[in-house]
Amino acid sequence: MQNPAPRLGRPRDSHIDQAVLAAARELLAESGYVGVTMAATAARAGVGKAAIYRRFDSKAELLFAATLHGMDIEPPADSGSLRGDLRAMARVIHERLTSPAARQVIPPLLAEMSHDAELTGRLQNTFVASERRDLAVIVERARKRGELRRAPDPALAHLLLGGPIFLALLVLPDPMDTARLDAIASAVAAGLTTEPGDSPAD
């Protein structure tokens, strides 16, 4: 599930990919976010630092891929309905955000992003963009089924679905259950299928 962001023009060695990500997760568990370095990850994975920098520009991006998600995650299987697809996607997003490793990485990662616009831009243009592409697949399926008169902006669909899940992670004392995830997905589906100017009875 966790795979690194590809560098265009460079063939990837999946064995190195997985060794680097596994090493990063091990170091995170042992030493925390601060204790993970590119040099230590390279040594643990048995590769040179250059091999890591060909895949990731920074420790933040390495740990994002190792604990949250990478670039080549496929969208959920077609459930036959927009609501079903969004429910599946909501569960995927929740799973990515709530693993122990992800919970350990998210606070320091957000702190870094708050003062590093370049890092924020790279994450948005790689990992976040890949998740939005999954949403684009989902809304296009719905359009072809006739559930949507037009496909909405995938970025908007992503915010509507992922935003409440991420907020809940930060403010709710208890994990979000499946029923709440399904309710969020259903609300988003209802919103996306409502055209501007439609009345509730339409």
Side-chain angles (χ1 to χ4, degrees), residues 11-196:
R12 278 173 39 176
D13 183 325
S14 62
H15 296 294
I16 293 178
D17 292 346
Q18 297 308 317
V20 167
L21 294 173
R25 287 190 289 269
E26 290 171 6
L27 289 168
L28 178 69
E30 294 168 9
S31 307
Y33 188 92
V34 174
V36 179
T37 65
M38 299 298 242
T41 302
R44 177 69 62 94
V47 302
K49 281 200 298 182
I52 300 181
Y53 279 109
R54 283 196 294 270
R55 291 161 170 80
F56 305 101
D57 289 322
S58 67
K59 178 179 84 171
E61 289 159 88
L62 165 63
L63 287 174
F64 193 100
T67 63
L68 287 160
H69 72 88
M71 291 290 293
D72 55 359
I73 299 171
E74 294 296 322
D78 190 342
S79 69
S81 72
L82 175 61
R83 183 172 296 179
D85 286 358
L86 289 175
R87 284 176 174 173
M89 189 69 184
R91 294 176 189 182
V92 168
I93 292 172
H94 183 259
E95 181 182 352
R96 293 173 188 169
L97 291 175
T98 56
S99 72
R103 285 180 175 273
Q104 193 172 358
V105 164
I106 287 171
L109 180 62
L110 290 176
E112 285 197 41
M113 292 172 67
S114 70
H115 60 75
D116 189 339
E118 186 178 347
L119 169 63
T120 301
R122 288 198 305 269
L123 290 175
Q124 289 174 340
N125 292 327
T126 53
F127 301 107
V128 175
S130 74
E131 197 164 82
R132 286 181 179 170
R133 285 193 293 271
D134 289 349
L135 266 297
V137 170
I138 287 172
V139 297
E140 179 60 15
R141 287 175 186 166
R143 188 193 65 78
K144 289 181 176 178
R145 293 188 202 103
E147 293 177 272
L148 298 172
R149 281 177 256 177
R150 57 184 176 82
D153 178 6
L156 174 62
H158 185 228
L159 287 171
L160 291 171
L161 187 66
I165 299 171
F166 188 74
L167 179 63
L169 173 68
L170 297 178
V171 303
L172 292 182
D174 300 316
M176 185 176 289
D177 59 22
T178 300
R180 182 63 60 86
L181 288 172
D182 289 352
I184 290 170
S186 295
V188 174
L192 294 177
T193 53
T194 301
E195 289 286 320

